[in-house]
Amino acid sequence: MKIMKRINLLSKTKQTELFYEDLYRGVVTLAVLGVFVLLAGIAAQIAVWIYLDQKEVSVVAQVAAIQQQIDESENAQLKAEVRQINALMSDFETLAKQTPEWSKVLKAFTKLVPNGVRISGFQADATTGTIEITGYSPTRESVIELYNNINGDKENFKEINYPLENVSQPTDIIFNYTFTIQDGVLVPTTEQ
């Protein structure tokens, strides 16, 4: 094997000059490449920033649109519920105005029931004004007293019947009476 040796025939000053020129070209090339890479990085960052900014605007717009849809649907649902509740309240008020006031009749009746007498059935018909009662009395005298009390209250009641089976036994009597409410006692609440 032969080893080859390189010999430079240029002068030392020229060799040094060429060395520095090569070094200068290398540094300039490296600097240009560095600036190019730096500018490419800055351009890429600007492009990413622009893309993300546009994406943010798009996402914010989508969120706002979805929120508006949700708000509109919730508002529509809430408004529908409010309308339904208002309709129920209106129906209730209309029904309450058209329904007779029974409290006056019941107060008047409960005052007429003697001690010891139990009322087990109270059926009333608002259209005819008829009341049917059934109950238990320990004595015949209490059944007669109930009849006399209802018959005597001409302000609230009229036309009481007098079934003989109510007084046929002296004790433990199961009785029934039918009587009518006086006109004008049972009126709808709007007419009072």
Side-chain angles (χ1 to χ4, degrees):
M1 259 214 258
K2 269 187 171 182
I3 298 183
M4 282 186 48
K5 193 173 177 184
R6 246 176 144 197
I7 299 175
N8 192 347
L9 298 174
L10 293 175
S11 67
K12 282 282 184 194
T13 57
K14 191 66 170 168
Q15 284 180 12
T16 308
E17 188 180 314
L18 285 176
F19 170 76
Y20 285 119
E21 282 181 11
D22 284 342
L23 183 63
Y24 174 75
R25 271 192 234 110
V27 169
V28 167
T29 304
L30 186 63
V32 168
L33 282 175
V35 168
F36 178 75
V37 167
L38 180 65
L39 290 176
I42 290 172
Q45 285 182 347
I46 290 172
V48 167
W49 179 76
I50 290 170
Y51 170 77
L52 290 177
D53 191 49
Q54 289 175 350
K55 196 69 170 172
E56 179 188 15
V57 169
S58 171
V59 168
V60 167
Q62 287 175 346
V63 167
I66 291 170
Q67 183 138 20
Q68 184 177 5
Q69 282 179 335
I70 290 172
D71 288 346
E72 288 173 0
S73 66
E74 285 178 357
N75 284 345
Q77 182 180 2
L78 188 60
K79 286 179 183 178
E81 288 176 10
V82 167
R83 277 193 297 274
Q84 184 178 10
I85 290 170
N86 285 341
L88 286 173
M89 292 300 293
S90 176
D91 290 346
F92 176 75
E93 287 174 4
T94 302
L95 185 61
K97 288 176 183 176
Q98 294 173 350
T99 302
E101 186 67 50
W102 285 96
S103 60
K104 182 178 178 184
V105 174
L106 291 174
K107 278 183 188 178
F109 176 74
T110 56
K111 292 177 184 176
L112 304 176
V113 179
N115 286 336
V117 174
R118 292 185 306 214
I119 304 298
S120 58
F122 185 97
Q123 293 183 342
D125 185 352
T127 56
T128 63
T130 305
I131 297 176
E132 294 180 34
I133 60 169
T134 57
Y136 166 81
S137 175
T139 64
R140 179 183 307 152
E141 290 77 21
S142 295
V143 172
I144 294 171
E145 183 182 354
L146 177 61
Y147 171 82
N148 290 335
N149 290 347
I150 295 171
N151 194 36
D153 187 356
K154 299 294 183 192
E155 183 180 328
N156 295 302
F157 306 110
K158 64 181 178 180
E159 301 171 7
I160 185 167
N161 69 343
Y162 195 78
L164 290 178
E165 61 267 6
N166 287 353
V167 291
S168 63
Q169 297 178 20
T171 59
D172 295 327
I173 301 165
I174 304 295
F175 64 88
N176 63 37
Y177 286 116
T178 302
F179 51 97
T180 307
I181 301 169
Q182 286 285 2
D183 296 333
V185 172
L186 190 63
V187 294
T189 54
T190 56
E191 297 177 18
Q192 290 184 354

